[in-house]
Amino acid sequence: MSQSICEAELLYSNLAVDPDLGTLVEMFVDEMPNRIATMLEQMSTSEWDKLRRTAHQIKGAAGSYGFDPITPHAMRLEYAIRDGEPEERIHEALDELIDVCRRARAGVSSG
């Protein structure tokens, strides 16, 4: 997951152009590295319920801040844990969620 992200893969909020919401979008993006670290810690310590709740929170927040493409990935992780899927599937869902979360950017696309 240490690959560099090209401009075409970056994810911008559809609310970033709203002057009233731009700061909130920035805060959401700024908090993302901490959320990712929290999820990785929860996975490494098998804190499944906490990881499920974190995914649930990201699912709601992503939609609220205009990052709709993050929502289905967070939902997949949340449901994989809720449904007791094998750890391998939970790991895959987490990896996909982290990948899309790392693409989130504040501001608007230059393209």
Side-chain angles (χ1 to χ4, degrees), residues 1 13 24-25 31 38 44 47-49 51 58 64 68-69 71 77 84 94 96-97 101 103-104:
M1 275 199 260
S13 169
L24 294 174
V25 170
E31 292 171 1
T38 295
S44 72
E47 296 180 89
W48 305 119
D49 196 50
L51 181 57
I58 290 172
S64 296
D68 297 335
T71 300
L77 176 58
L94 177 61
E96 290 174 10
L97 176 57
C101 286
R103 293 172 30 214

Side-chain angles (χ1 to χ4, degrees), residues 89-101:
R89 290 207 180 152
I90 294 171
H91 280 272
E92 289 171 3
L94 177 61
D95 287 345
E96 290 174 10
L97 176 57
I98 288 173
D99 179 62
V100 73
C101 286

Side-chain angles (χ1 to χ4, degrees), residues 51-52 55-56 59 69-97:
L51 181 57
R52 183 192 55 76
H56 178 80
K59 178 181 74 175
I70 294 175
T71 300
H73 295 282
M75 185 183 306
R76 179 172 179 236
L77 176 58
E78 178 187 5
Y79 290 0
I81 296 166
R82 181 197 70 188
D83 296 343
E85 291 188 21
E87 280 189 42
E88 180 179 314
R89 290 207 180 152
I90 294 171
H91 280 272
E92 289 171 3
L94 177 61
D95 287 345
E96 290 174 10
L97 176 57

